[in-house]
Amino acid sequence: SQQGEEDPQALSIQEGENATMNCSYKTSINNLQWYRQNSGRGLVHLILIRSNEREKHSGRLRVTLDTSKKSSSLLITASRAADTASYFCVDNDMRFGAGTRLTVKP
Amino acid sequence: EAGVTQFPSHSVIEKGQTVTLRCDPISGHDNLYWYRRVMGKEIKFLLHFVKESKQDESGMPNNRFLAERTGGTYSTLKVQPAELEDSGVYFCASSLRAGWVYNEQFFGPGTRLTVL
C-alpha cells in the first residue's frame, strides 16, 4: 500500500457534524503534515505534528499521531460547507497519500 | 505578499506535442519543488531546486521531462513529447529553507494538463 495512505477515500457528512480522516504510513517519521486542496486550488498547509507529539489542535482541527501504529488522524469539528475539499497527509520524505475527499452538505 | 503562481492554469495538448509549465515562487524562496498528481493517484514529488541547482530530481519519471530554473527565480517544466499518461495536475511549491522536516512549503494552484 501507499505511504501516507488515507482512510476513508471519500467522506460525505452534513454541516455541523464532525469529520475524521485517518492516515497510515510505513517508515519512521520526524513529522507528519496535513494539507487541504480545494477544488481548482493549490494545496494549503493545515497542521504539522512532530514525532514526539501525540495531539495537536488548530482551531477546529485536531490531529493525533500514534507512532507505534504508524497512523495519524485529522478531526474537523463542527464542519462547514467550506470544508469541502481533499485532505492529504504527507510524511517527511515528501510522500503524499491518495487523499480523502470530504464533502460537507449544507 | 504574492503566493506561488503557476501558468497556465489549464493546458490541453495532443499526444506528441510539447508543453511548458511555469512556476513563480514566493519572492526570496530559494527552494522550489515540482509535484504532480496523475488522475486518481497520489501526489508525487518530481524534483527540488535550490536556487538554480537541482538538489534532488529523483522523482522525474523519464527523460521526456526537463525542468529548469535559470537565475534561480522562476522555473519551467517542459514535457516533450507529451504522452497520454502525463495528464494530471502539476503543482509547484516553494519554501524559504530546504527540507521538509520543520519547514512549510507553499503550494501554487497547479496546472491541469490534459494530453489527448
Side-chain angles (χ1 to χ4, degrees):
Chain A
S1 58
Q2 298 290 338
Q3 180 82 4
E5 186 171 316
E6 282 83 6
D7 165 32
Q9 299 275 306
L11 181 61
S12 182
I13 59 174
Q14 292 294 134
E15 203 165 31
E17 293 180 339
N18 296 340
T20 299
M21 290 161 274
N22 302 303
C23 164
S24 60
Y25 57 92
K26 291 190 176 294
T27 60
S28 298
I29 58 168
N30 295 315
N31 67 71
L32 195 81
Q33 299 186 57
W34 284 88
Y35 278 76
R36 178 185 72 206
Q37 184 195 9
N38 291 81
S39 180
R41 295 189 173 185
L43 290 152
V44 174
H45 179 262
L46 294 176
I47 197 166
L48 179 152
I49 185 166
R50 296 187 171 88
S51 59
N52 61 352
E53 296 175 313
R54 291 295 167 262
E55 188 171 310
K56 199 164 183 178
H57 296 254
S58 177
R60 294 184 296 113
L61 305 180
R62 186 184 78 147
V63 169
T64 62
L65 180 65
D66 187 336
T67 53
S68 66
K69 295 180 180 178
K70 291 187 168 58
S71 67
S72 174
S73 68
L74 171 67
L75 168 68
I76 303 175
T77 59
S79 65
R80 304 168 183 167
D83 294 329
T84 294
S86 292
Y87 292 81
F88 301 88
C89 67
V90 187
D91 68 13
N92 47 262
D93 287 330
M94 297 178 286
R95 284 176 287 198
F96 286 74
T100 294
R101 175 69 189 168
L102 174 66
T103 302
V104 181
K105 300 175 185 176
Chain B
E1 178 182 326
V4 177
T5 58
Q6 293 186 245
F7 181 83
S9 56
H10 293 86
S11 181
V12 181
I13 61 173
E14 294 192 350
K15 176 182 171 180
Q17 290 185 322
T18 297
V19 63
T20 300
L21 314 180
R22 173 170 169 147
C23 168
D24 285 76
I26 292 173
S27 178
H29 281 193
D30 287 342
N31 296 276
L32 186 150
Y33 310 81
W34 283 99
Y35 298 85
R36 75 170 178 176
R37 187 182 190 192
V38 173
M39 193 66 66
K41 297 194 174 181
E42 71 275 15
I43 298 171
K44 284 194 173 181
F45 165 80
L46 295 179
L47 87 161
H48 168 208
F49 282 100
V50 177
K51 297 184 179 179
E52 67 275 10
S53 300
K54 292 174 185 175
Q55 183 75 13
D56 180 356
E57 52 183 331
S58 60
M60 295 288 265
N62 52 61
N63 59 10
R64 295 185 294 104
F65 289 75
L66 175 64
E68 295 181 320
R69 194 183 181 195
T70 306
T73 54
Y74 70 90
S75 174
T76 59
L77 179 65
K78 181 162 70 173
V79 185
Q80 180 183 27
E83 297 289 344
L84 298 178
E85 63 264 25
D86 299 332
S87 295
V89 181
Y90 289 76
F91 292 101
C92 174
S94 72
S95 67
L96 191 59
R97 288 177 291 276
W100 192 254
V101 178
Y102 297 119
N103 187 29
E104 178 183 348
Q105 294 186 12
F106 296 85
F107 281 79
T111 292
R112 181 173 293 279
L113 174 65
T114 303
V115 182
L116 303 175

